[in-house]
Amino acid sequence: MASTFILAAAAPVIKGPLAYFVTPFFGIVLSIAVYLLGQWLFKISKGFFLFQPLFVGMVMGILALAILAKWLGMDTAAFYTQAYKPGGDIIFWFLNPATIAFAIPLYKRNDIVKKFWLEILLSLIVGVFIALSLIFLVAKGFGLSKVGLASMLPQAATTAIALPISTAIGGNAAVTAMACILNAVIIYALGNWLVKIFRLKSDPIGTGLGLGTSGHTIGSAFALELGTIEGSMGAIAVVIIGIVVDLVVPIFATLVGLR
Amino acid sequence: MATQGKHPQKTSNRAPILIQIGIYATILFISWLISEWGNKTFPKFPLPTPVVGLVLMYLALTLHIIKVEWVEDLGAFLISIIGFLFVPSGIQLAGTLNILENEGWKLIVVIIISTVILLVSVAYCTRFFIWLRVHVLHKDAQVDADTKDEG
């Protein structure tokens, strides 16, 4: 709605070079270009963790927008909204079918789900509660503002669930969105290393649940690369953690006096 | 269909891609209706469409309303490009760069630590509860490592 409004309002006024960018095709082409650049860099650097395609795509994309905005003599945020967002929204929409596709790896390992449902549920509830307490302490230790603190708490949930909760407990939704994306980038970039140093390999169920919680759908896709048990646990974590965060975080926020 | 008999081929029952798209679209539409209803009835607990869709898709598969071959190819494709699908969410930061000016680096450090905390606390909790299952409740914790590719 917001973007159509802006387009409708801005369309007659746009003159000069900006007019060439105000089409969804620009955002789509830019997204694909920066992501492919990331994949290429990842390949030729033989998997250097900072060249993880999503991370490269994000940094290069922002950089490209900032440079183009400067060239056009406008604010990066305004250029983002007018030129990139229409195309970006189209790609973003495909996260809907992609998210529900995670039911498939989950269904394929229904044997584990039926056998361990109690352990899975308890681990996610207790695990999130411990994680919330630690995150709260760390955030407090760094001296984050009240808004910053509240924005950090819902990040275990996938973006679509985390944002409304963040707003509800007095956080900033954009900061929470950034947290959810960085979670995924970090898991994709450092996942192998983290699995190694915390010796998680021996326990595929825990690894899958942990990766799905910390890295959301991307963490779950990463878990799928480790094996079908990890993958299905990652998928179940994404689903159940959303519900757990939905219920636990508002209570936790009240307990620690954030609202 | 024609492969009944000798060599059951893995590709035999796969639904055409347009049918697969149709199934995804239908599930998403129903999920959206439920989510709209839920958000009006319980405004305190957000009920996002993709989460409802995930549950519906899982139920439809588990209750054998749809077959996995009808949704598998499109699902595998979408999951394989999930990193790309998140590029716009990442670039979204370009619209809100001013947030980073105040407590930017602190936020980023806290987020990095939080990611590790989430991974490790959930993984170790699971290890503990599975240990409990084996050593206190004396139930087995055997898992089948390979995928069951039932045709």
Side-chain angles (χ1 to χ4, degrees):
Chain A
M1 271 180 291
S3 68
T4 26
F5 167 71
I6 286 160
L7 281 180
V13 200
I14 291 172
K15 278 183 192 134
L18 178 63
Y20 298 110
F21 296 102
V22 187
T23 158
F25 300 129
F26 168 66
I28 294 172
V29 169
L30 179 68
S31 307
I32 295 180
V34 291
Y35 190 74
L36 289 178
L37 176 70
Q39 278 192 329
W40 178 73
L41 281 175
F42 194 66
K43 201 175 157 199
I44 60 159
S45 66
K46 298 208 171 67
F48 179 58
F49 76 95
L50 272 182
F51 287 163
Q52 202 281 315
L54 173 59
F55 188 65
V56 174
M58 176 179 149
V59 174
M60 290 294 174
I62 294 175
L63 221 66
L65 290 181
I67 292 168
L68 282 170
K70 187 143 203 181
W71 175 59
L72 292 167
M74 59 194 292
D75 181 40
T76 309
F79 183 67
Y80 160 81
T81 318
Q82 291 186 37
Y84 179 78
K85 199 168 180 293
D89 281 347
I90 292 176
I91 297 172
F92 183 77
W93 182 88
F94 282 92
L95 279 176
N96 287 304
T99 306
I100 73 170
F102 279 92
I104 300 167
L106 183 57
Y107 164 75
K108 283 188 168 168
R109 294 313 305 245
N110 243 346
D111 53 328
I112 306 178
V113 176
K114 280 175 184 155
K115 194 166 168 182
F116 294 103
W117 66 270
L118 185 63
E119 282 84 359
I120 292 171
L121 208 60
L122 285 174
S123 309
L124 289 177
I125 295 173
V126 178
V128 161
F129 206 83
I130 295 172
L132 279 179
S133 316
L134 291 174
I135 290 171
F136 181 77
L137 289 178
V138 170
K140 201 114 210 190
F142 274 94
L144 287 190
S145 63
K146 219 169 178 182
V147 178
L149 264 170
S151 311
M152 289 298 104
L153 294 180
Q155 63 178 304
T158 187
T159 321
I161 306 179
L163 300 194
I165 301 170
S166 171
T167 316
I169 62 171
N172 181 326
V175 175
T176 307
M178 175 179 83
C180 290
I181 288 145
L182 282 182
N183 291 152
V185 169
I186 293 160
I187 287 301
Y188 221 100
L190 303 178
N192 276 323
W193 181 70
L194 290 171
V195 165
K196 210 183 199 171
I197 63 160
F198 289 106
R199 299 171 189 280
L200 302 178
K201 204 130 212 173
S202 61
D203 170 29
I205 297 181
T207 310
L209 291 177
L211 288 170
T213 306
S214 52
H216 319 301
T217 37
I218 296 200
S220 176
F222 176 82
L224 198 57
E225 286 171 18
L226 297 177
T228 59
I229 302 174
E230 287 91 337
S232 59
M233 289 302 108
I236 199 174
V238 173
V239 186
I240 296 179
I241 216 73
I243 303 163
V244 171
V245 166
D246 210 13
L247 300 169
V248 170
V249 167
I251 299 169
F252 185 87
T254 313
L255 282 180
V256 295
L258 276 174
R259 63 166 189 178
Chain B
M1 292 148 260
T3 52
Q4 252 185 342
K6 305 163 211 166
H7 300 293
Q9 266 164 20
K10 277 191 173 175
T11 47
S12 59
N13 292 321
R14 292 207 167 145
I17 206 76
L18 189 59
I19 305 262
Q20 301 203 13
I21 293 175
I23 294 173
Y24 278 80
T26 310
I27 292 177
L28 283 171
F29 179 53
I30 298 171
S31 311
W32 179 80
L33 292 173
I34 295 175
S35 147
E36 281 293 291
W37 169 81
N39 288 338
K40 274 191 193 114
T41 321
F42 314 103
K44 280 221 156 178
F45 295 103
L47 197 61
T49 305
V51 174
V52 180
L54 191 45
V55 174
L56 284 186
M57 176 75 104
Y58 176 71
L59 288 177
L61 286 167
T62 307
L63 302 173
H64 303 292
I65 299 168
I66 56 171
K67 285 187 178 168
V68 71
E69 296 90 345
W70 298 352
V71 289
E72 201 175 14
D73 295 334
L74 185 60
F77 167 68
L78 288 167
I79 292 176
S80 75
I81 60 162
I82 194 113
F84 165 69
L85 297 179
F86 271 97
V87 168
S89 320
I91 292 182
Q92 193 185 19
L93 260 184
T96 47
L97 280 176
N98 55 328
I99 309 170
L100 289 175
E101 280 165 18
N102 298 328
E103 25 186 21
W105 68 270
K106 281 187 198 167
L107 284 171
I108 290 171
V109 175
V110 172
I111 292 166
I112 294 173
I113 299 172
S114 305
T115 312
V116 179
I117 290 175
L118 282 166
L119 171 69
V120 174
S121 68
V122 169
Y124 284 178
C125 272
T126 313
R127 186 173 288 185
F128 169 72
F129 282 113
I130 288 182
W131 178 88
L132 215 63
R133 175 192 173 96
V134 175
H135 294 276
V136 179
L137 300 173
H138 299 292
K139 289 196 210 161
D140 78 306
Q142 226 45 41
V143 275
D144 208 358
D146 40 85
T147 338
K148 281 182 203 150
D149 258 331
E150 66 253 74

